[in-house]
Amino acid sequence: MITAQKREESLQDVPIAVSAFSGAALERAQIENPQDIQFSIPNAVLVGNDRFTLRGIGNNAISSTADNGTQTFFNGATVALSPQDEFYDLERVEVLRGPQGTLYGRNTTGGAVNVITKRPTSQLEGFAFGQAGNFDSVKLQGAINLPMGERVRQRFAGYWLKRDGYTENLATGNGIDGREQFGVRSTTEVDLPWAVTGRLTLQYFEEDSSRARETKRLCKAIAVLGCSPNELGFDSPNTSAVIMQTLLRSPIFTGIFPPGGDIYAGAPNPQDLRKIAADYDPKTEGENFIGVLDLSKTLGSLTFTSLTSYSEGKSKASTDWDNADLPFRFLRPITYQLGPDRQVTTDRLLTIDQFTSRSRTWSQELRLVSDNDGLFNYTAGAFFFDSKGRSRFEIWHPAIEFFTRAIGLPAASQHVDNDTPYSRTKAWALFGESYFQVTDATKLTVGLRYTDEEKAIRTRSIVLAAPTPYVVAERDWQEWTGKVSLDHRLDLSFTDETLLYASVARGYKGGGLNPGNAVDPDFEPETVMAYEVGAKNQLLGRALQANLAAFYYDYTDLQLGQRIGANAVTANADAKIWGLEGEFLWRPTENWLFDSNLSYLNTEIGEFLTIDAANPAQSLTTRTPAVPVNLAGNELPYAPAFKVKIGGQYSFGVGDWTGTLRADLTWQDEFYAREFNTPNDRIDGWALADLQARLVRDDGRLELQAFVKNVTAEDNIVSSIIEDALIGSYRNVRLLEPRTFGASILVRY
């Protein structure tokens, strides 16, 4: 049972492409977090291990006012889940593929991910889980359900995770990209007067770890650019092309900078994707709180629901900006800033960057759902949303500090400072969806939504220049989205149940602002016309479930972010997308179970002239005019053409126990990290194999497990970004986890 249409229905009755995972299915496939679940969803990519792209649609914009194209929901409420959080004590996860503009609204052009937690029951019950593995990994989980009288039910759940880093920093001798985090949740359900049921869910997440934003520097050194735009390697950037070298050679460093000194000369870059050499280890701190209040009342065939949510979060992440352990030394120690609160006196050239953010969001949805036995049903509602935040990205480098100080700039200019102390999005919407039972076998769905939103921002960027006043900008947009769908249940001799459906839907993602850019002060909303046909089948005496979908998207004003020099701008382009998907679940006997998903995706950008930051004409040291390139015919970023996942398990009796052996294999085709589709943008295809063995006592109260993930120890790259021309335009990449193994015990009571 799922709630993809905001009413409880069987997965096979819903005319939408949905990947649904019960708590048991999550456990069966070792899906412990968002990174794991991407392998079991057709046409899904988790960009940088933290942002979903579905069917080629995610968030390619660069702006504090940009929105994700795949929206996350928590118990049905619009909240920003922390992508670093773990899955624990869940009822199910539903992933809706394709635009969901009617019921779910703005920012679901790619789809929607709804995480649904377990509800309290009237029984005293719970579980305790412990797992240990390599990299000194320890994970603890638990939950307890407390009946508190006839009208009140309470459930507490939580987890704690600690492990060493998967990447070794040879300069410090430490493992980086490690984890130390925990999450706790309280769910209270109360039967209120007037037959109202209330459920309050409170969840908190905290992290203090060595998580790395980017984990490996790749570069083939050349003149002019620092790093080749067409070839990658394990070099450091060519010193002559690093703009910081130019600043360091200025007269203000006479007597400090050695004659002919090369700041990157001899800087190690190990030829191993799991090893780096940086002056110090990255550090990440974060907190996230979510509260959701769900009030519902059923009166006859009508159910009224009020869904109120509030969330707030903050994060701080810092790392070595030049991502290097430089052998270079100044002729004598100098004193300079290394971060907002730290001053050093050293002959070493040390750098640091820091990203900080805070946000708070609340939303309110009022919904009326009918459940008549007749020919007509409907869902109608209103939605309100208010989100406010601030963010700041800062870079400290002695060359910047000394150069700006020498030319008389104030202290605020002595480091790079991209500051957005205020950004806000406010939106409201009215929506409705009607269901007409045309015949016993045929149903027509018609939906419509009106959205009104406004965005405001205050921001400025200081890069080797005097501070400018904060730029204040605001815009508002209004948009209609909707859907028409027809589904028909077939009575065929060779199937037990078949549902065919065809739909036309319009999706919408809000626009945003590029303050300080006189040429492109803002970017337009994305809109997509999506055409889809599908079939949901039960075959072989319901032993085989086969769900198929084909889709075509006509995209208008797709948002694409461009990095040019030390600045970023988001522009709009058109695109065409089409694809095929299949999801299969087969139990040929009581002992065997197989699941798989297959997908194909074709993306093509329309006419679009833009600037490539990897082009020599865009270097900060050149004065030649910018050279635009036409991206017509290029593929969208993070849109692999093929993806295949196959899983299988065999269960057998062992006395009072049931044993299960399971294997999962995922293969994903190559794709591009940027819309420019250059050789350096290409990320190779990869494969991932997992194995596990389980023993479950027949009463279900005790479970033992041993597992190996990434059996062949592949170093699979999942994302790549181009770094600033100030330090050589090298590529920073992220990877999937290396081979991990361990064992766990689960006790239910």
Side-chain angles (χ1 to χ4, degrees), residues 279-291:
D279 291 316
Y280 42 85
D281 302 325
K283 183 174 179 58
T284 297
E285 302 172 68
E287 294 181 65
N288 181 255
F289 168 79
I290 297 171

Side-chain angles (χ1 to χ4, degrees), residues 662-733:
R662 181 176 176 88
D664 290 277
L665 176 65
T666 303
W667 174 80
Q668 183 171 277
D669 204 356
E670 68 178 20
F671 59 91
Y672 291 102
R674 298 191 311 153
E675 59 276 10
F676 297 96
N677 292 188
T678 68
N680 280 6
D681 295 331
R682 182 182 293 110
I683 294 180
D684 291 337
W686 47 257
L688 190 71
D690 299 338
L691 298 174
Q692 61 171 307
R694 292 178 185 268
L695 271 177
V696 182
R697 205 165 66 187
D698 289 345
D699 62 7
R701 292 185 175 273
L702 182 61
E703 180 176 328
L704 307 175
Q705 181 204 26
F707 67 89
V708 183
K709 290 187 173 184
N710 191 1
V711 176
T712 55
E714 301 295 325
D715 293 331
N716 297 320
I717 296 176
V718 296
S719 68
S720 169
I721 66 169
I722 185 169
E723 284 294 346
D724 203 292
L726 290 167
I727 48 175
S729 302
Y730 59 82
R731 299 300 175 103
N732 247 324
V733 299

Side-chain angles (χ1 to χ4, degrees), residues 5-62:
Q5 297 188 127
K6 302 204 172 181
R7 57 177 66 224
E8 286 200 354
E9 300 169 286
S10 166
L11 170 67
Q12 296 303 99
D13 292 338
V14 177
I16 301 174
V18 182
S19 299
F21 306 87
S22 65
L26 294 171
E27 181 180 301
R28 180 176 68 217
Q30 297 189 86
I31 297 174
E32 300 176 312
N33 49 48
Q35 179 177 299
D36 291 336
I37 204 171
Q38 66 175 318
F39 307 132
S40 297
I41 304 170
N43 282 322
V45 174
L46 195 67
V47 179
N49 298 330
D50 60 13
R51 301 186 311 281
F52 269 108
T53 288
L54 296 176
R55 296 177 172 177
I57 303 303
N59 181 15
N60 295 312
I62 304 175

Side-chain angles (χ1 to χ4, degrees), residues 8 75 91-92 116-123 125 144-156 185-193 195-202 292-297 305-307:
E8 286 200 354
N75 288 342
E91 183 68 32
R92 65 186 181 276
I116 300 163
T117 63
K118 283 193 175 180
R119 303 183 69 155
T121 69
S122 56
Q123 302 296 318
E125 60 183 9
I144 184 169
N145 198 90
L146 300 172
M148 304 178 70
E150 295 183 359
R151 293 181 173 272
V152 181
R153 298 164 293 281
Q154 175 68 48
R155 189 175 185 90
F156 295 105
R185 181 187 308 134
S186 166
T187 308
T188 308
E189 196 168 84
V190 182
D191 297 329
L192 298 167
V196 174
T197 299
R199 178 168 51 138
L200 176 64
T201 306
L202 305 174
V292 178
L293 176 62
D294 185 333
L295 300 172
S296 64
K297 176 179 174 60
T305 300
S306 169
L307 192 63

Side-chain angles (χ1 to χ4, degrees), residues 258-551:
D262 293 338
I263 58 176
Y264 270 102
N269 189 10
Q271 295 192 22
D272 184 332
L273 290 173
R274 303 285 182 185
K275 297 181 186 297
I276 70 165
D279 291 316
Y280 42 85
D281 302 325
K283 183 174 179 58
T284 297
E285 302 172 68
E287 294 181 65
N288 181 255
F289 168 79
I290 297 171
V292 178
L293 176 62
D294 185 333
L295 300 172
S296 64
K297 176 179 174 60
T298 300
L299 187 62
S301 62
L302 298 176
T303 299
F304 176 78
T305 300
S306 169
L307 192 63
T308 308
S309 73
Y310 176 82
S311 66
E312 64 177 37
K314 64 179 181 179
S315 65
K316 180 170 70 172
S318 59
T319 191
D320 184 352
W321 185 50
D322 60 23
N323 202 1
D325 177 28
L326 300 177
F328 170 87
R329 294 294 183 267
F330 293 113
L331 292 175
R332 59 179 174 80
I334 59 175
T335 300
Y336 56 92
Q337 286 293 125
L338 188 64
D341 306 310
R342 182 185 175 197
Q343 192 177 76
V344 297
T345 300
T346 178
D347 64 349
R348 300 179 63 193
L349 198 164
L350 303 175
T351 70
I352 191 172
D353 70 36
Q354 179 174 283
F355 177 78
T356 56
S357 69
R358 297 183 72 101
S359 65
R360 73 107 181 102
T361 300
W362 76 266
S363 70
Q364 174 67 55
E365 181 167 306
L366 303 172
R367 189 169 66 243
L368 185 65
V369 176
S370 72
D371 187 18
N372 299 309
D373 294 330
L375 303 179
F376 174 70
N377 277 290
Y378 61 89
T379 298
F383 175 77
F384 306 90
F385 177 86
D386 189 349
S387 180
K388 184 166 61 175
R390 65 176 185 260
S391 63
R392 195 172 193 177
F393 180 65
E394 300 170 277
I395 301 167
W396 287 267
H397 193 295
I400 297 175
E401 179 179 340
F402 275 72
F403 178 79
T404 52
R405 190 189 303 172
I407 63 176
L409 295 180
S413 299
Q414 292 170 14
H415 73 293
V416 174
D417 188 0
N418 293 290
D419 186 20
T420 303
Y422 176 83
S423 65
R424 189 166 192 174
T425 299
K426 299 171 70 175
W428 63 270
L430 300 174
F431 63 91
E433 199 161 85
S434 301
Y435 313 99
F436 302 90
Q437 199 68 45
V438 181
T439 69
D440 289 343
T442 305
K443 183 176 67 177
L444 174 67
T445 300
V446 179
L448 194 64
R449 187 183 188 107
Y450 176 77
T451 299
D452 184 298
E453 68 174 331
E454 59 183 70
K455 292 186 176 182
I457 192 172
R458 184 162 63 93
T459 185
R460 73 176 178 184
S461 180
I462 304 174
V463 184
L464 297 172
T468 58
Y470 282 94
V471 176
V472 178
E474 60 181 63
R475 270 206 64 180
D476 63 280
W477 297 271
Q478 296 77 38
E479 199 71 40
W480 288 94
T481 52
K483 172 184 176 180
V484 177
S485 173
L486 187 69
D487 62 86
H488 179 73
R489 196 168 299 279
L490 291 178
D491 185 9
L492 302 173
S493 59
F494 58 89
T495 69
D496 303 292
E497 184 177 292
T498 293
L499 179 73
L500 300 180
Y501 68 89
S503 67
V504 179
R506 189 169 192 269
Y508 163 78
K509 188 176 88 167
L513 304 165
N514 290 319
N517 189 306
V519 178
D520 296 299
D522 48 43
F523 50 94
E524 293 302 314
E526 294 182 359
T527 57
V528 57
M529 289 299 300
Y531 307 87
E532 183 167 335
V533 295
K536 295 192 171 184
N537 304 282
Q538 301 272 8
L539 306 106
L540 306 179
R542 299 186 183 274
L544 173 63
Q545 177 178 295
N547 295 343
L548 309 171
F551 57 91

